[in-house]
Amino acid sequence: MSDKTILVWFRNDLRIRDNEILLEAVRKADKVLPVYCFDPYYFQTTATGGHKTGSFRARFLLEAVADLRKNLQAFGAELLIRIGNPAGIIPLLAEEYHVSEVYHHREVAYEETRISEQVEAALWKMKLNLKHFIGHTMYHKEDLPFPIKDIPDSFAVFKKKVERESSVRPVVPTPDHITVPEIADAGELPTLHQLGLTEPVDDPRATENFQGGETAALVQLHKSLAGIDSPAKQKGKNGNDASTKLSPWMSIGCISPRQVYWETQKYGNNGNLLKLELLWRDYFRFMFKKHGQKFISAKNQAAELAADQNALFEKWKLGETGVPLIDAAMHELNATGYISNQNRQIVANYLVNTLKADWTKGAAYFEEKLIDYSPASNWGNWAFIAGVNDAKESKYAIATKLPKELEAKTDFVLTWQPSSIDEAGDLVEA
Ligand SMILES: Cc1cc2nc3c(=O)[nH]c(=O)nc-3n(C[C@H](O)[C@H](O)[C@H](O)COP(=O)(O)OP(=O)(O)OC[C@H]3O[C@@H](n4cnc5c(N)ncnc54)[C@H](O)[C@@H]3O)c2cc1C
């Protein structure tokens, strides 16, 4: 009898640890074929002349895929890298390597699910199954105290029920071996140039040096949690910053929210405050699963649009509004691909409610620029700020006013923090 081979289609789960599809494939098959596709869809030029994926995120992704390949090679395995539409590539590889099943982690946002539907349809014609796994959230969908259709739209209610009635699963073991078939052509990692991008210029003012990959993610995890129980790192008190800066790695799955959760649990109450942030992340993903695109398009933007909103948007994106804080934050975003949560809220709120420009332009601009872009988190947060969904009762902590003391700050000098955030994640007035 011939060997059974399972193709593991890596997407936003670029890791070996706590990766259920990899572990299951190793357990169920004799051989595993790990594959990553650089889909040109994500590297296209947008209607406004920008890039769907900016160069900071693309470089980070290239580093992450290279690191995954290196880590698989340490097992004597290999990662096949291809450039092209997965709906064309996956079936071809499945045929070439006599694959009996394909595994992947299911996504929630529209574009990602559309791509997997196309792959599924192409495999179906070959009588092959695309098996969907759930693995992007801290709480497993099956462990929630309600079916997806009944998930409360209010974050506060969601949080209360989940924390009371659900628990986070342990991480899954790392495989002890990974056997791949004989591979004729593993494929080269593309260059940024091949993806239609140029090398980003690193700004010396950047506070972080984000290096893609599971290896760097684990270093960042331990670095960011070191001293979490010290008073200086306590979140939400006196504006101290306990931000982990893990989001770029979490967005493409170099580390899982479960791994972060279990590590934070070693730190008592401070770990629990970080759990709250992870819960927000889960919430947005579950909202997309429940409502689909309706979550971000249920209503029109609350504020009426300005007649010159296109010109105002251009000024906003270049950091030329004349408001020092907004301009500094946008310069930082453009120069580094990262800004803090508070600054994201401030610039988004300013675009929507002060400039009265179309929020979807801001969200699309963040999609290009953010190194940690994640569809549910980005579009979900923007939709909240624009007031286009019905989740208002979530008491989401949106910074609505520009703090006066920041008006004199220069580029990248962004010290303002909310006076305090309570345990529910809400802003507390000074
Ligand atoms: C307009 C806007 C757009 C955003 N776009 C994105 C995005 O594309 N990708 C993204 O990962 N986050 C996004 N966020 C959420 C948040 O700003 C970032 O997750 C956070 O700044 C990342 O920094 P950190 O890793 O230090 O977070 P920490 O404070 O250390 O939190 C730990 C993790 O929890 C998650 N998280 C924290 N806050 C949120 C939140 N409000 N919503 C969802 N997840 C959260 C992130 O994965 C983060 O890494 C957006 C927020 C706003 C207001």
Side-chain angles (χ1 to χ4, degrees):
M1 215 175 81
S2 63
D3 284 346
K4 177 176 166 136
T5 303
I6 291 179
L7 189 156
V8 171
W9 175 25
F10 282 96
R11 299 181 76 191
N12 290 321
D13 45 9
L14 302 177
R15 63 178 183 277
I16 288 181
R17 291 165 188 79
D18 194 32
N19 191 332
E20 200 184 347
I21 60 169
L22 184 60
L23 182 72
E24 275 297 291
V26 166
R27 283 181 175 166
K28 297 265 165 63
D30 304 291
K31 289 180 179 157
V32 170
L33 188 68
V35 177
Y36 184 83
C37 300
F38 285 89
D39 184 346
Y41 178 81
Y42 288 106
F43 300 96
Q44 62 185 293
T45 310
T46 58
T48 53
H51 293 277
K52 194 160 171 63
T53 302
S55 55
F56 282 111
R57 188 162 79 255
R59 182 179 66 181
F60 187 82
L61 175 65
L62 286 169
E63 290 165 352
V65 173
D67 187 63
L68 178 65
R69 171 174 267 183
K70 196 165 111 266
N71 292 341
L72 285 165
Q73 285 171 347
F75 278 83
E78 183 53 279
L79 177 69
L80 270 79
I81 297 176
R82 295 289 185 269
I83 306 173
N85 181 347
I89 289 169
I90 302 283
L92 277 182
L93 290 174
E95 193 173 20
E96 185 182 344
Y97 287 92
H98 308 290
V99 160
S100 55
E101 218 176 350
V102 177
Y103 286 2
H104 87 128
H105 274 117
R106 195 195 276 282
E107 284 285 354
V108 289
Y110 171 71
E111 292 178 329
E112 286 66 27
T113 40
R114 188 172 45 81
I115 290 167
S116 49
E117 277 164 16
Q118 288 168 357
V119 171
E120 191 166 30
L123 289 173
W124 184 250
K125 288 188 193 145
M126 302 166 66
K127 299 195 175 5
L128 282 183
N129 179 38
L130 175 66
K131 187 165 177 186
H132 308 281
F133 286 72
I134 299 153
H136 287 306
T137 44
M138 172 170 62
Y139 285 98
H140 197 281
K141 176 178 86 105
E142 315 273 294
D143 299 337
L144 295 178
F146 19 64
I148 290 287
K149 69 174 182 41
D150 295 333
I151 294 183
D153 287 344
S154 152
F155 175 77
V157 180
F158 166 78
K159 173 181 182 292
K160 201 167 160 188
K161 291 204 166 160
V162 169
E163 286 188 334
R164 206 171 41 205
E165 296 173 44
S166 307
S167 50
V168 179
R169 292 185 182 185
V171 296
V172 302
T174 307
D176 52 12
H177 70 280
I178 304 169
T179 310
V180 293
E182 201 169 312
I183 290 168
D185 172 21
E188 295 285 320
L189 195 72
T191 60
L192 278 174
H193 184 69
Q194 281 171 293
L195 299 176
L197 295 160
T198 49
E199 191 69 38
V201 178
D202 291 307
D203 193 297
R205 291 166 296 179
T207 50
E208 290 293 320
N209 169 26
F210 294 111
Q211 162 89 31
E214 181 174 11
T215 311
L218 294 170
V219 172
Q220 179 68 16
L221 175 67
H222 293 110
K223 189 176 121 193
S224 65
L225 295 185
I228 193 176
D229 40 4
S230 76
K233 275 229 165 185
Q234 281 180 21
K235 211 172 176 71
K237 293 278 179 282
N238 308 320
N240 291 315
D241 179 19
S243 141
T244 60
K245 311 280 194 305
L246 278 168
S247 53
W249 289 279
M250 289 182 65
S251 294
I252 52 170
C254 299
I255 193 163
S256 74
R258 258 191 329 221
Q259 285 174 282
V260 178
Y261 168 80
W262 284 111
E263 200 55 37
T264 63
Q265 289 312 289
K266 298 176 184 163
Y267 299 96
N269 195 39
N270 291 327
N272 281 334
L273 290 170
L274 188 53
K275 184 182 168 195
L276 176 70
E277 311 295 354
L278 297 171
L279 203 56
W280 271 110
R281 184 179 173 280
D282 272 15
Y283 167 77
F284 283 119
R285 294 189 85 100
F286 289 133
M287 284 293 108
F288 266 84
K289 185 85 192 135
K290 176 179 173 186
H291 297 290
Q293 284 299 92
K294 275 193 271 159
F295 184 58
I296 56 169
S297 58
K299 286 193 216 146
N300 291 328
Q301 181 170 329
E304 210 172 286
L305 297 182
D308 56 346
Q309 58 132 342
N310 286 336
L312 293 172
F313 171 73
E314 289 301 313
K315 287 200 161 123
W316 175 85
K317 86 176 194 196
L318 296 172
E320 294 175 355
T321 65
V323 179
L325 169 60
I326 302 297
D327 293 350
M330 293 308 290
H331 293 166
E332 184 178 12
L333 175 66
N334 292 334
T336 69
Y338 182 88
I339 50 174
S340 71
N341 187 50
Q342 284 81 22
N343 286 326
R344 290 178 206 208
Q345 290 185 1
I346 289 171
V347 296
N349 188 62
Y350 187 78
L351 182 77
V352 171
N353 293 317
T354 305
L355 299 181
K356 304 209 185 309
D358 180 353
W359 73 274
T360 62
K361 286 191 181 143
Y365 191 67
F366 268 32
E367 173 169 349
E368 173 179 356
K369 293 292 169 190
L370 282 177
I371 194 169
D372 64 8
Y373 169 70
S374 183
S377 297
N378 185 58
W379 289 85
N381 270 288
W382 271 95
F384 252 149
I385 290 169
V388 299
N389 55 37
D390 288 322
K392 283 254 166 176
E393 70 272 32
S394 295
K395 294 199 290 168
Y396 188 49
I398 300 171
T400 49
K401 283 189 210 136
L402 291 183
K404 279 202 191 69
E405 65 269 28
L406 266 176
E407 283 171 8
K409 300 288 180 197
T410 55
D411 263 17
F412 287 33
V413 183
L414 300 168
T415 51
W416 179 82
Q417 297 286 328
S419 10
S420 185
I421 299 175
D422 68 16
E423 293 238 337
D426 297 332
L427 273 184
V428 177
E429 292 296 326

